[in-house]
Amino acid sequence: MRERDAYANLVLPSLLRERRLAARDAAFATELAYGACRSLGLLDAVIADCAGRAVADIDGPLLDVLRLGVYQLLRTRVGAHAAVDTSVDLVRAEFGSGKAGFVNAVLRRAGERTAGEWVDRLAPRDPVGHLAFEYAHPTWIAQAFADALGAHADELRALLAADDERPAVHLVARPGDITAEELALVTGGEEGRWSPYAVYLDGGDPGKLEPVREGMAAVQDEGSQLVALTLTRAPLLGPDAGRWLDLCAGPGGKAALLGALADIDGGRVDAVEPAEHRADLVRKATAGLPVSVYVTDGRDSGLAPGYDRILVDAPCTGLGALRRRPEARWRRTPADVRELTVLQRELLGAAWDLLRPGGVIVYATCSPHLPETVAVVGDLVRRTGAEQLDTRDLLPGVTALGDGPSAQLWPHRHGTDAMFMAALRKPE
């Protein structure tokens, strides 16, 4: 992953298939890879302290081994002797005794303290910085979470702890094909708490499940399901002609759920995606549904105005889904935010121009970061006079969504990605 600058969830499955590992070995390899990626900041701080040099000065392959070794020592139940010996043996076989001695010395020093003792030794003294280090997050992201929590910033520890764990697999039952109850029975899963189409899985490869292979179900976080449902539930002024738009459709999960719901009532969904390879993913996800895919820039789509409902699931920093792409937290920087917020405002403005009077937009991001959420919505409201609906009313039964009128999901409260959503209606 380091050499290819790729995401673990995209690279690791193919590597495991190539190596043909047994299920138990594959699960262990997955835990080590995801865990080391997730804990990178803490691991590198410990390695630098033990090595007496910056991690940038350590050869890449040795650093990979050290990260995996320190992760085993501090964050798994693997015995210290086994973690050190397997790491040293690997380096000796690949690079010789000299470098094996260096790895041995670093890992033995790392194993002299517990994870908690390393946190006490190396973490910043300020409260947010300390929590960020303890739960393996950059400080700027932890501060962004604290700002979004607002008056509930005392939940930051619980949020970071939930964000530091591997998430459960969520399935979506395609409306009209299978119910969540039926899907849970077939898969051995559990019906979701919030979405009527969600099923939780304990583990395993969802791609091997018959309903998933046959297109009756798909992998989709329950929070993403709620975003699509919010769009369908928002009250319009005037009748719903069934003309819906997903303006940022790739890779197609929400478009598929919207298409299935539209199909039941005789509606249609247009889906916009500027990248051809992602547009192809949308086509595959929505096969057999009344969904038309347009490969174009949502800011200048060329589509005819007059849509009843528009979803703007805008490109964002993805800070709300760090559990699923654990290394993303170390790749994102505050500098990413400015460019993205410009894009988000442009997409939302373009959607407003395509919306009919009395129609509704749901603006959503997989990030709770305030510049990407309430600031973008507030800008549109000021410029257009958009009516903000109370989004919480569109999520019946879902608790602790914030102070409104927007809604914010959280991993520690809802078990979902940290999805933000705001419903906006165009005055007649």
Side-chain angles (χ1 to χ4, degrees):
M1 270 87 71
R2 174 187 52 80
E3 291 177 350
R4 302 185 191 184
D5 194 30
Y7 286 107
N9 67 326
L10 301 179
V11 173
L12 188 61
S14 61
L15 290 176
L16 294 177
R17 285 194 295 270
E18 288 174 13
R19 302 303 190 275
R20 297 183 179 179
L21 296 181
R24 183 176 180 180
D25 292 336
F28 182 59
T30 300
E31 167 59 22
L32 290 185
Y34 275 68
C37 289
R38 190 164 49 242
S39 308
L40 204 61
L42 183 149
L43 301 179
D44 283 358
V46 172
I47 291 168
D49 189 83
C50 294
R53 68 181 77 166
V55 293
D57 298 330
I58 300 174
D59 291 344
L62 294 185
L63 182 58
D64 289 341
V65 175
L66 286 171
R67 286 167 169 168
L68 292 170
V70 174
Y71 178 76
Q72 291 177 77
L73 288 169
L74 301 185
R75 290 201 155 197
T76 73
R77 297 179 181 177
V78 175
H81 183 75
V84 173
D85 284 358
T86 54
S87 302
V88 171
D89 289 345
L90 175 60
V91 172
R92 181 181 292 113
E94 292 290 330
F95 306 108
S97 298
K99 293 183 177 180
F102 168 71
V103 169
N104 181 64
V106 172
L107 291 181
R108 291 196 180 280
R109 290 190 194 113
E112 290 173 357
R113 292 182 172 88
T114 65
E117 289 169 342
W118 278 116
V119 169
D120 291 340
R121 174 180 171 85
L122 300 176
R125 295 298 99 187
D126 66 285
V128 172
H130 194 279
L131 285 174
F133 185 88
E134 182 178 355
Y135 292 102
H137 284 69
T139 299
W140 78 271
I141 292 179
Q143 185 62 60
F145 287 168
D147 293 342
L149 285 167
H152 302 282
D154 58 342
E155 297 179 20
L156 182 59
R157 176 183 290 276
L159 168 56
L160 293 174
D163 210 39
D164 198 30
E165 297 175 355
R166 288 195 67 191
V169 175
H170 294 178
L171 297 180
V172 57
R174 176 172 286 184
D177 287 343
I178 191 172
T179 66
E181 180 182 15
E182 292 166 341
L183 182 60
L185 288 172
V186 171
T187 61
E190 176 187 355
E191 291 183 62
R193 287 188 295 168
W194 315 116
S195 165
Y197 307 109
V199 169
Y200 308 150
L201 295 183
D202 288 335
D205 182 358
K208 295 180 179 179
L209 298 172
E210 184 177 353
V212 174
R213 292 200 312 269
E214 294 184 358
M216 294 188 294
V219 176
Q220 186 177 47
D221 182 77
E222 190 173 20
S224 294
Q225 298 175 40
L226 292 176
V227 168
L229 291 173
T230 296
L231 181 68
T232 67
R233 293 167 175 169
L236 307 177
L237 298 177
D240 189 344
R243 188 170 179 235
W244 300 353
L245 172 64
D246 184 348
L247 195 63
C248 310
K254 297 181 186 69
L257 181 52
L258 288 173
L261 292 169
D263 192 32
I264 293 171
D265 294 326
R268 290 199 60 84
V269 177
D270 289 339
V272 169
E273 170 53 49
E276 176 58 46
H277 71 283
R278 285 173 63 84
D280 193 48
L281 295 176
V282 179
R283 294 187 193 101
K284 292 177 180 176
T286 60
L289 296 172
V291 177
S292 301
V293 180
Y294 296 87
V295 184
T296 185
D297 190 324
R299 293 170 291 183
D300 186 20
S301 65
L303 296 172
Y307 287 95
D308 299 286
R309 302 179 187 273
I310 301 177
L311 174 62
V312 183
D313 180 23
C316 66
T317 55
L319 302 188
L322 296 179
R323 304 175 304 160
R324 302 189 186 281
R325 284 190 169 181
E327 66 275 72
R329 68 188 68 182
W330 308 111
R331 297 185 182 184
R332 285 295 189 192
T333 70
D336 297 327
V337 177
R338 178 175 297 178
E339 182 178 348
L340 284 166
T341 55
V342 171
L343 174 60
Q344 290 157 358
R345 292 178 189 218
E346 291 174 346
L347 286 166
L348 187 53
W352 188 256
D353 293 338
L354 292 170
L355 189 68
R356 71 160 175 83
V360 170
I361 289 173
V362 167
Y363 173 78
T365 60
C366 191
S367 171
H369 198 16
L370 296 178
E372 302 181 79
T373 57
V374 294
V376 173
V377 171
D379 176 71
L380 183 83
V381 170
R382 285 191 298 271
R383 290 190 292 107
T384 67
E387 177 189 359
Q388 287 199 72
L389 304 179
D390 195 327
T391 312
R392 299 170 300 174
D393 294 341
L394 309 177
L395 296 165
V398 185
T399 57
L401 289 168
D403 298 328
S406 57
Q408 178 66 61
L409 299 170
W410 292 106
H412 69 296
R413 291 182 186 174
H414 307 102
T416 68
D417 292 343
M419 300 295 301
F420 168 88
M421 59 198 92
L424 305 162
R425 188 163 61 194
K426 196 170 195 174
E428 287 189 306

